[in-house]
């Protein structure tokens, strides 16, 4: 799922609209990685309504969800459940996260 591609129809003026989608899927997953910080800075350029749409779009299918959405990094392993729940708060939706 690519944040800019999937959101262009929903939020045409999103801050990520002209950014390379790969930025939202950083190879380095450390909290302080440059790619992760850059993606979160771009997300910060959106207003709360835009971030809500982004979070809702990301939550359509959480099976393979990973990357940065609405300023939240969703990792593959540890911290995944908490990140998806945080997206649920932004999206204003209750999210059930399996204990995988």
């Amino acid at each position: 799922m690519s944040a800019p591609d999937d959101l262009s129809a929903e939020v045409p003026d999103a801050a990520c609209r002209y950014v390379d989608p790969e930025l939202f899927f950083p190879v380095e997953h450390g909290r302080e990685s440059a790619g992760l910080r850059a993606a979160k800075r771009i997300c910060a350029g959106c207003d709360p309504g835009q971030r809500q749409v982004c979070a809702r779009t990301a939550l359509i299918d959480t099976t393979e969800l990973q990357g940065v959405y609405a300023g939240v990094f969703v990792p593959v392993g540890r911290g995944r459940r908490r990140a998806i729940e945080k997206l649920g708060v932004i999206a204003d939706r209750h999210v059930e996260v399996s204990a995988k």
Side-chain angles (χ1 to χ4, degrees):
M1 175 186 237
S2 130
D5 292 343
D6 290 346
L7 293 176
S8 59
E10 297 290 326
V11 188
D13 54 345
C16 62
R17 70 189 174 279
Y18 299 119
V19 178
D20 181 358
E22 291 299 313
L23 180 66
F24 296 91
F25 305 96
V27 176
E28 296 177 40
H29 298 296
R31 277 197 168 173
E32 299 302 317
S33 76
L36 187 55
R37 285 193 314 268
K40 287 182 173 186
R41 266 194 313 275
I42 290 167
C43 292
C46 281
D47 65 48
Q50 292 168 317
R51 286 193 297 272
Q52 185 179 49
V53 171
C54 180
R56 286 181 177 177
T57 301
L59 292 171
I60 290 171
D61 181 11
T62 61
T63 310
E64 295 184 26
L65 183 65
Q66 66 181 34
V68 178
Y69 301 88
V72 176
F73 174 61
V74 180
V76 174
R78 186 177 180 164
R80 178 176 177 73
R81 171 182 262 168
R82 181 174 290 162
I84 292 174
E85 288 170 349
K86 189 183 277 188
L87 281 175
V89 170
I90 294 168
D92 195 26
R93 293 193 174 156
H94 177 74
V95 180
E96 289 289 329
V97 184
S98 65
K100 273 188 162 180

